Every structure is written in C-alpha cells, then in structure tokens.
Amino acid sequence: MTKRGADLLREELHRLKAIERPANSQAIGEARAHGDLSENAEYHAARERAGFIEGRISELESKLGNAQVNRSEAGRRRRPLRVRLHRGRRGRRGRGFTWQIVGEDEADIKNGRIYVSSPIARALIGKEPGEVVEVQTPGGIKRYEIIDVRYE
C-alpha cells in the first residue's frame, strides 16, 4: 500500500469514528423517541446504518493494522511504484503512459493506478527499463515495453 492509500484509509476511519458514528447514534436516539420501534422505519434504517458503519470501521482497522506501507529505504529492493510503458514497441506510433502499482483500496485503472496482484502489475514487478513484457488479459495478449521504473 502506498503512503497516500494509508492516509486515505486513516482519514475515512477518523471520519467514521468522529462524525458518522456519533451522528448515527443521535439519529437512533431521535427515532426511539418516536415510540413503537417495531414499525419505526427511521429506527430500523439508523440501526442498519450503524451496522454498516461498525463493519467498515472494523474493516479499516484490520487493513491498516496489516498494511505494509511501501517506503523508501536505502539498500532495500522495493516494488516499483510507478512504471512508464509503451504499448508494443517504442518505434511505432503511440504515446507512453504511466501506471502506479498500488494496494487494493487504491486501485483505479481509469486514473492509472493498478492493483499489485493484477496480472499486469505481476508481469511488471522485477522488470527493468528496455524489457518487453507480454501479459494475458481478457482482451488477449498485450505487449508492453518498459520505459522507466521508479521506486518512490
């Protein structure tokens, strides 16, 4: 997981604990004040929301507790965090693009962030600039030439 990803999870966890949980507890209290709980839709909705909030808090605490944040350390080989590629060979038309290899919660292919366990990321890890990798994708085999690898 990148430092950015861990920071985003910490922010979400803080928001859930400091804002969402207390607001939902207040909503439950207000719904209880309306009387008969068996037919009180507001109460049942607030209780359901409380279950979601508590589940997400538990999930985030577990992820953060088990996370390995990718940090630069002298003399230690790390996973590449950014890989600049060119589809096919560089001599052909087309432009290069960059993918950032990230943890599960940060993955967003449209914004150039791919999950570390994806087939493309697994094919790129351990490769050097100038190498060509072939990746089996649902759309067939794709060839990429690695232009640059950064360990940030």
Side-chain angles (χ1 to χ4, degrees):
M1 176 179 302
T2 64
K3 182 181 180 323
R4 176 186 170 278
D7 289 343
L8 289 173
L9 292 181
R10 279 189 204 97
E11 286 174 21
E12 182 181 357
L13 180 61
H14 175 74
R15 181 182 52 76
L16 288 170
K17 284 182 168 183
I19 298 167
E20 300 288 331
R21 183 192 271 167
N24 197 65
S25 292
Q26 184 176 357
I28 290 172
E30 289 173 8
R32 276 189 183 149
H34 293 294
D36 187 10
L37 299 182
S38 64
E39 295 180 15
N40 189 331
E42 290 175 8
Y43 174 77
H44 291 289
R47 292 289 299 173
E48 187 174 315
R49 176 89 175 126
F52 168 78
I53 291 170
E54 294 305 318
R56 185 65 179 152
I57 287 172
S58 177
E59 179 183 1
L60 291 173
E61 287 176 339
S62 176
K63 283 182 180 184
L64 287 168
N66 295 322
Q68 294 179 353
V69 178
N70 204 346
R71 293 186 177 96
S72 296
E73 295 178 28
R76 186 168 174 220
R77 184 115 170 119
R78 301 163 312 279
R79 285 194 311 261
L81 291 183
R82 292 191 189 273
V83 181
R84 184 151 174 77
L85 305 166
H86 191 277
R87 178 103 184 259
R89 291 221 168 265
R90 231 189 298 187
R92 294 184 170 172
R93 284 188 193 179
R95 296 171 46 134
F97 55 94
T98 301
W99 275 331
Q100 182 179 14
I101 299 174
V102 297
E104 178 181 10
D105 293 308
E106 301 172 80
D108 182 1
I109 192 77
K110 291 179 182 177
N111 289 315
R113 293 189 295 269
I114 58 174
Y115 179 39
V116 67
S117 293
S118 70
I120 295 171
R122 287 194 322 255
L124 296 173
I125 292 173
K127 302 296 191 254
E128 300 294 330
E131 290 188 63
V132 175
V133 297
E134 291 185 353
V135 181
Q136 179 66 47
T137 68
I141 295 177
K142 307 278 189 211
R143 292 174 55 94
Y144 299 101
E145 180 179 1
I146 299 172
I147 298 169
D148 185 36
V149 178
R150 291 193 184 158
Y151 301 90
E152 298 175 341

